[in-house]
């Protein structure tokens, strides 16, 4: 048995005890993932009371396997599965999630995704290049002469939320409020969540939904050239989205469209600075930039776990699953599978060993992936070009928000440009 204080692995029985609330784990989960790959890539996580998969091939195939889904109550009742009734204190959150693209299955998922997918294909998203560059440059202009900044609050927090809000049709000045609602909302997905986290998520879900409903009414009366107007006025097979579907879809697009990218900007800057590799080589041309972005996504993914319900009885890696069982897929660990990636814990932007799974796969592949990739491919080289001697001013602290992975703060320093005259 392997024991690292917060981690105990019984490889013979494929049983793992892992305290995800310990800083030793969430500050450096990759080391734990390496230990799991070495001992038992498929394991029963005792604290979470379910089986988890870390192997690249298993995670990749299960994300696409229609015997598993994000939903279960479309094929079985709560009574059949012995599930408790929904909690009263999270009813607003549950209502907002009722039609979420992340939580539903075909045919409803197909209908909703078809109506919004068009806006997120690469050729449409790439039209935002100029806006992203202008915003990033303006933000850097604001702190360049200071010689120091906390990058999350001055840069990373602002760009993704501003761009997804503009795309949907929400004013820039709503950015801080959207961030607050989103941070509270995603608290429901943290393994350490408390009753206070649940209360905050429910309160913000109610406020968020009320705001979106007011926006829907305004766009219904006066359509604009934005995604919300498109979703309101476009039909699929003779059906329009209901208001409840519009609220769920708008909230998930806003949350997914910026939360992970905020984390990834910070994670990527940290990895690059700690690697010691000259940023000039990493961002020498668009191809090098793309490889660098993909390697940081592989090495420090912003979202680590997706869960699936078993819909049909089956056997995976020698484990039998019945309808109603839940499984965990650790995307970030699959990105470190030594059977897929050589020297997997190393930052090697020249590697060409296949795609990372940081955006998922299958029908629930992240709809915002083209936008996130575009933002990263623009803002990272721009930041290092504008601040050529950028360095860490303090050891970055990782947020206690597992199964997300991002920084609490990222303090940076550089030599400010000389003032002319």
């Amino acid at each position: 048995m392997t024991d690292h204080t917060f981690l105990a692995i019984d490889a013979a029985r494929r049983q793992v005890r892992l305290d995800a609330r310990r800083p030793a784990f969430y500050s450096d989960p990759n080391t734990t993932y390496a230990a799991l790959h070495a001992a038992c890539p498929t394991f029963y996580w005792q604290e979470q009371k379910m089986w988890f998969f870390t192997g690249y091939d298993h995670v990749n195939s299960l994300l696409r396997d229609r015997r598993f889904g994000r939903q279960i109550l479309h094929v079985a009742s709560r009574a059949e599965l012995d599930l408790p009734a929904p909690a009263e204190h999270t009813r607003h959150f549950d209502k907002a999630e009722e039609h979420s693209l992340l939580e539903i299955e075909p045919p409803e998922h197909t209908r909703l995704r078809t109506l919004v997918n068009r806006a997120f294909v690469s050729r449409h998203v790439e039209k935002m290049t100029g806006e992203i560059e202008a915003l990033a440059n303006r933000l850097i202009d604001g702190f360049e002469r200071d010689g120091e900044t906390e990058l999350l609050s001055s840069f990373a927090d602002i760009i993704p939320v501003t761009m997804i809000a503009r795309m949907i049709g929400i004013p820039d000045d709503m950015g801080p409020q959207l961030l607050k609602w989103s941070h509270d909302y995603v608290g429901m997905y943290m393994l350490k969540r408390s009753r206070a986290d649940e209360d905050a998520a429910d309160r913000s879900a109610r406020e968020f939904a009320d705001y979106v409903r007011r926006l829907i009414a305004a766009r219904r009366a006066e359509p604009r050239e934005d995604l919300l107007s498109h979703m309101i006025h476009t039909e699929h097979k003779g059906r329009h989205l209901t208001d409840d579907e519009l609220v769920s879809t708008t909230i998930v697009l806003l949350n997914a469209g910026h939360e992970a990218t905020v984390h990834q900007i910070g994670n990527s800057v940290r990895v690059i600075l700690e690697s010691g590799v000259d940023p000039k080589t990493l961002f020498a041309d668009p191809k090098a930039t793309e490889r660098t972005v993909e390697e940081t996504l592989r090495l420090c993914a912003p979202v680590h776990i997706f869960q699936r319900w078993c819909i049909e009885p089956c056997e995976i890696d020698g484990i039998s699953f019945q309808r109603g069982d839940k499984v965990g897929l650790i995307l970030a660990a699959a990105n470190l599978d030594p059977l897929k990636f050589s020297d997997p814990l190393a930052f090697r932007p020249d590697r060409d060993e296949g795609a990372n799974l940081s955006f998922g796969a299958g029908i629930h592949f992240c709809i915002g992936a083209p936008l996130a990739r575009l933002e990263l491919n623009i803002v990272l080289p721009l930041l290092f070009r504008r601040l050529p001697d950028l360095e860490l001013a303090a050891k970055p602290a990782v947020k206690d928000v597992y199964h997300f992975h991002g920084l609490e703060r990222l303090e940076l320093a550089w030599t400010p440009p000389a003032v002319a005259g």
Side-chain angles (χ1 to χ4, degrees), residues 333-348:
N335 288 341
L336 305 176
D337 186 344
L339 299 179
K340 175 71 176 177
F341 300 103
S342 58
D343 197 8
L345 297 190
F347 176 63
R348 280 186 23 208

Side-chain angles (χ1 to χ4, degrees), residues 6 24 50 77 85 133 174 213 227 248 259 277 318 348 355 374 396:
F6 62 90
M50 70 174 81
S77 68
E133 286 178 343
M174 278 297 293
R213 287 183 189 282
L227 179 54
S248 288
E259 191 81 29
V277 180
R348 280 186 23 208
L374 180 67

Side-chain angles (χ1 to χ4, degrees), residues 113 129 138 172 181 189 193 195 205 224 235 261 278 294 324 328 334 360 371 401-402 404 420-421:
R113 183 139 182 162
T129 295
R138 179 169 62 78
D172 287 4
W181 284 334
Y189 297 105
R193 81 179 196 223
R195 173 60 188 259
R224 296 185 186 175
E235 62 180 46
T261 312
D278 184 353
E294 293 306 309
L371 177 58
V401 291
Y402 191 82
F404 299 100

Side-chain angles (χ1 to χ4, degrees), residues 268-286 288-290 292-293 347 349 379-391:
S268 298
V269 172
R270 176 196 183 178
V271 164
I272 290 165
L273 290 175
E274 290 183 341
S275 74
V277 180
D278 184 353
K280 286 190 182 70
T281 66
L282 296 177
F283 303 116
D285 55 56
T289 296
E290 185 180 333
T292 297
V293 167
F347 176 63
V379 306
L380 292 176
L382 183 59
L383 186 71
F384 282 94
R385 187 170 70 248
R386 291 284 306 270
L387 310 172
D389 60 346
L390 198 61
E391 62 182 16

Side-chain angles (χ1 to χ4, degrees), residues 38-59:
C40 50
T42 300
F43 64 92
Y44 187 81
W45 188 340
Q46 293 180 2
E47 286 86 348
Q48 305 306 321
K49 298 182 172 57
M50 70 174 81
W51 284 91
F52 281 77
F53 294 85
T54 67
Y56 184 96
D57 288 344
H58 280 130
V59 171

Side-chain angles (χ1 to χ4, degrees), residues 17-290:
R17 290 200 322 272
L18 171 57
D19 184 354
R21 301 186 64 175
R22 296 285 288 276
F25 169 63
Y26 67 72
S27 292
D28 179 24
N30 287 4
T31 300
T32 295
Y33 296 154
L36 291 168
H37 278 301
C40 50
T42 300
F43 64 92
Y44 187 81
W45 188 340
Q46 293 180 2
E47 286 86 348
Q48 305 306 321
K49 298 182 172 57
M50 70 174 81
W51 284 91
F52 281 77
F53 294 85
T54 67
Y56 184 96
D57 288 344
H58 280 130
V59 171
N60 190 28
S61 64
L62 282 165
L63 286 167
R64 307 166 192 271
D65 194 328
R66 301 308 301 140
R67 295 173 299 177
F68 292 81
R70 289 290 293 165
Q71 211 177 16
I72 188 66
L73 295 179
H74 64 309
V75 296
S77 68
R78 287 182 177 275
E80 287 176 86
L81 300 171
D82 196 26
L83 294 176
E88 174 63 20
H89 71 282
T90 58
R91 68 185 185 281
H92 296 104
F93 176 87
D94 293 339
K95 181 68 175 174
E97 286 286 274
E98 191 175 1
H99 303 286
S100 167
L101 281 166
L102 285 174
E103 303 297 337
I104 58 175
E105 292 293 311
E108 291 308 297
H109 177 272
T110 307
R111 183 171 68 91
L112 265 67
R113 183 139 182 162
T114 299
L115 283 171
V116 299
N117 204 42
R118 192 172 309 144
F120 284 91
V121 296
S122 296
R123 66 179 179 275
H124 287 300
V125 166
E126 282 165 8
K127 294 175 183 175
M128 303 174 76
T129 295
E131 281 187 78
I132 297 168
E133 286 178 343
L135 177 57
N137 273 312
R138 179 169 62 78
L139 294 173
I140 295 171
D141 288 344
F143 56 69
E144 182 182 24
R145 295 191 180 281
D146 298 338
E148 60 181 18
T149 195
E150 194 291 294
L151 193 74
L152 301 185
S153 57
S154 67
F155 190 77
D157 272 346
I158 300 168
I159 293 171
V161 73
T162 302
M163 299 317 301
I164 190 65
R166 286 181 186 175
M167 197 173 183
I168 289 170
I170 296 174
D172 287 4
D173 60 12
M174 278 297 293
Q177 181 62 70
L178 294 174
L179 282 171
K180 183 191 179 306
W181 284 334
S182 180
H183 291 334
D184 288 346
Y185 198 93
V186 300
M188 285 292 284
Y189 297 105
M190 298 187 302
L191 297 191
K192 73 172 184 74
R193 81 179 196 223
S194 64
R195 173 60 188 259
D197 293 323
E198 293 175 350
D199 289 340
D202 198 65
R203 181 172 59 251
S204 285
R206 185 189 71 239
E207 294 173 3
F208 210 161
D210 288 346
Y211 173 76
V212 173
R213 287 183 189 282
R214 292 194 297 273
L215 204 60
I216 290 168
R219 291 295 185 276
R220 189 165 272 136
E222 226 178 291
R224 296 185 186 175
E225 291 295 318
D226 56 38
L227 179 54
L228 183 57
S229 297
H230 165 79
M231 291 193 296
I232 291 168
H233 295 281
T234 304
E235 62 180 46
H236 177 64
K237 295 185 178 178
R239 289 179 62 189
H240 288 88
L241 295 182
T242 67
D243 279 12
D244 285 347
E245 289 171 334
L246 286 165
V247 168
S248 288
T249 305
T250 302
I251 287 177
V252 76
L253 289 176
L254 278 163
N255 286 344
H258 81 271
E259 191 81 29
T261 312
V262 170
H263 290 329
Q264 193 59 36
I265 292 172
N267 293 348
S268 298
V269 172
R270 176 196 183 178
V271 164
I272 290 165
L273 290 175
E274 290 183 341
S275 74
V277 180
D278 184 353
K280 286 190 182 70
T281 66
L282 296 177
F283 303 116
D285 55 56
K287 264 291 175 209
T289 296
E290 185 180 333

